[in-house]
Structure formats: C-alpha cells, structure tokens
Amino acid sequence: MMRFYITAGFVLFLSGSAVAQKGVNSLYSAFGIGDLDERDYSRNFGVGSAGIARPSGQFLNEQNPASYSALPMQMFYFEASMAGKSVSYQTAGNTQSAGDIGFKRFAIGFKAHERWGISAGLMPYSRIDYKLLNTTPIEGTSENVRNAIDGSGGLNRFYISNSVRITKNFSAGGSSAVIFGPVKTIDSLANDEVHTSQDVYYRNLNFTAGLQYQGRIGEWTIGAGATYRFGTTLNGSGTLSIRAADETILYQDKSVAASYKLPEQLGFGLTATSGNITWLADYKRQNWEGLNKSTTNFQYKNSERYAGGLEYTFKRLDFYGREAEGAVIQLGAAFHKNYISVKNQPLEDFSVSAGLSLPSRTGHLRYYLGLEGGQRGVSAKGLVQENYLNVVLHLSLRDNWFYKRKEM
C-alpha cells in the first residue's frame, strides 16, 4: 500500500510540474477539433501504438476494452504516462523549433471477478495550439489590416471500461466515456486595441465495443481483436467577448452554441507469439467526409491508420524464484492518413518507434521508455512540414490489494 502512494504521488507531482511547459505551435491543430491523439501512451507505444488484439496481462490496454478480462486476479494496477515532444517546423524558406512536456495518461484497473475486469482512466483526445497571422481587407476601403488568431485548448477522454471472458478463447468488452474540453480562439488586430475572444466548452458521451480472441496454432499463440467506436455529436456552449487592450469588455454574448460530429471508428488487430517474440499489427478507419462543414482552405477526408511492430521479451526469475517477464525491447512503425486535407494536400504522418520496459526487483513496478521519430505534412503550397521526436515515460504499478492472509 505504501509503495502505491509513494509512486502515485511522485507521478502526480511530475505531471503537475510539466503542465505549464507548453510550447508546440502546430498549424494543423487550427483545423477541425485540432490534432487527434491517435497514439497509445502505454507499453504499446514502441510498436507503433498497435494493441487491439493484445490482452491486458502485463499492463492496462485501452486499445480494446475487451482486453481487461485477462487481468490477473487479486491485483490492482495504477499506471501513468508523461511525454515530451520536440518539433522542427520547415517551410519553403524558414525553419523553427518548439517543444513541450505534459501528462498523457492516468489509469487504474483490477479484476472484479474471475471473468470480469475493470479499468478507468483519463487521456487526451485532441489538442489545439496554434497562432496564425493573416491579412484581412477593411470593408468599404482598399486597405488591409494585419490580424493574429490564437487557438488553444483541446479535448480529453475519461472512460470506464468493462470486459467479460465469454469462453476460454473469447472476451467482449465495452468502454463508456465522456469526451470534454475547452476550445479558445482569440482574434486580435495588429495594433491590439481590440480583440475578439470565443470560449466554447464541448462535451458528450461516447461508447466503444470490443472483441478479442486468444488461441493456439501449433507453437504460436494467436490473438485477434476488433473494436467499434460509435459516432457522437459534441455539444458546445460558451461565450463570445469583444475586449479592449486593457481587457475592458466592450461586448459579450454568453449564449454561444456549437456542435461537432465525430464519426464511428472501426479497428482490427492481430498478434502472434512464439517463445520470446511477439508480432503485432493494427488497422483503424474513420469516415469523416460529409459530417462537418469544410472550407476553401481545408476539407475533411476519411482517415486510416496502419501500425505494427515486433516485441522481444527476456525471461528472468522474480523475487520469489519463479520465472517471470524480464526486460522487453520493441521496434515499430505507423502510417496515418489524417482526417483533414489542407489546400487539397492530404495530411500524412509516418513514424518509427522503439521501446524498452524494465521491471523492478520485485516485479511490482515496471519502467517504460518509448521513443518515436517521424514526419508529418509537406513544405509545398505554403504548408509546413513537421519533423518530430516524442519521448514517453510510462510507469506501471501493480500490487496485491485483494490478497487475504490465512490465519494460523
């Protein structure tokens, strides 16, 4: 119990210190509801964030809610992740750099029954962080004025997932989630005498269903998984304000309403394990076209994500002399066709990743370090190419909370 409180307190302290260190300024987060966070900041990170077919035997796997039926009995899991990002922005004639660090995931999980596993957690869903400089014509004249548009905020996902083992080989699960968060836009003139501020808070429920199969073919353990995330409409309410340079309110409307449609998502995954080696592959698709209004600058496109990787596990003897999972090394890759096209240029993201997981002496705590390097977008047509490096620290603590000692 004390081990749990010390570790959890340390992680919360680090994440609280990291929240203020924001610095990423991405052009592409200005469209739609921002950058959708498709990565999984758990032990799946180093294999391209693939994990739809993987059971939650060693960690909490929210890639498929059906995975939690594989949690060990009498164990309570606490997990937390932080990530740092460094980005180089490249245009046709300029290069700039930025970076930040922040929390990515908190999760708990346990086995409520021999066949029933539960998990709950909080993770980011999308992020908005940009600043655009525009030239706007003054109505009735031939003159233009410079203005700046700043966007910030983003959506989060709080979930409670349940999984039931139906048969020896099949599990089913469901995740009930609340997607919520603020989106703030400030439009100011070059002289900054007057600026317009719009604050909208979005929220709604969202549900995901999943299935998993685990079986054997010869010397191989085969896993297959499928997920379906239902579409939903985010409802937003907020305030529109016009303010002077000294923040005096010149006009305010507190009845701003907005809505944004999220499409359904289909996902499929496979795993194959033999001895120390595990192969993983995932595919996800979302049909965005026609759901929300496009503009002349960007259009909604159906998105696809391909991911996969290889994991090698070393065996060791644990604190009690039993064979257990030792160090784990990973290599992976992912290709993502994003849900927006800017100036008729598809937004594509390709990355390679690696991961290392190490256990503590007793095996109750695992330390995970993940690295990912990739490229998104192009520098043609006045757009921006992003070359990035992500570093993830993931801690997984499991303890025997439900173990009862026998009286002598």
Side-chain angles (χ1 to χ4, degrees), residues 115 124 140 182 309 335 350 354 359 383 400:
R115 293 177 176 267
F335 175 73
F350 175 75
L383 299 178
N400 301 76

Side-chain angles (χ1 to χ4, degrees), residues 39 85-88 334 349-352 372-376 386-390:
R39 293 167 176 81
K85 185 172 187 177
S86 176
V87 190
S88 173
D349 186 338
F350 175 75
S351 63
V352 293
E372 179 190 43
Q375 178 180 299
R376 183 172 74 155
E386 298 178 353
N387 303 304
Y388 59 84
L389 175 67
N390 290 318

Side-chain angles (χ1 to χ4, degrees), residues 1-9 11 58-60 75-80 107-109 360 362-367 394-401:
M1 182 75 72
M2 182 60 67
R3 176 172 53 235
F4 171 83
Y5 287 123
I6 291 175
T7 306
V11 171
Q58 300 294 333
F59 66 100
L60 301 175
M75 284 288 183
F76 185 92
Y77 282 73
F78 171 82
E79 296 187 352
I108 60 172
S360 64
T362 63
H364 288 88
L365 181 63
R366 290 196 74 95
Y367 309 90
H394 174 251
L395 299 179
S396 178
L397 172 69
R398 58 180 184 177
D399 214 344
N400 301 76
W401 274 24

Side-chain angles (χ1 to χ4, degrees), residues 33 41 45 101 108 113 123 251 341 355 364-365 404 408:
I33 53 170
Y41 297 94
F45 186 83
I101 184 171
I108 60 172
H113 183 269
M123 62 177 61
Y251 170 81
S341 173
H364 288 88
L365 181 63
K404 294 183 179 179
M408 301 299 293

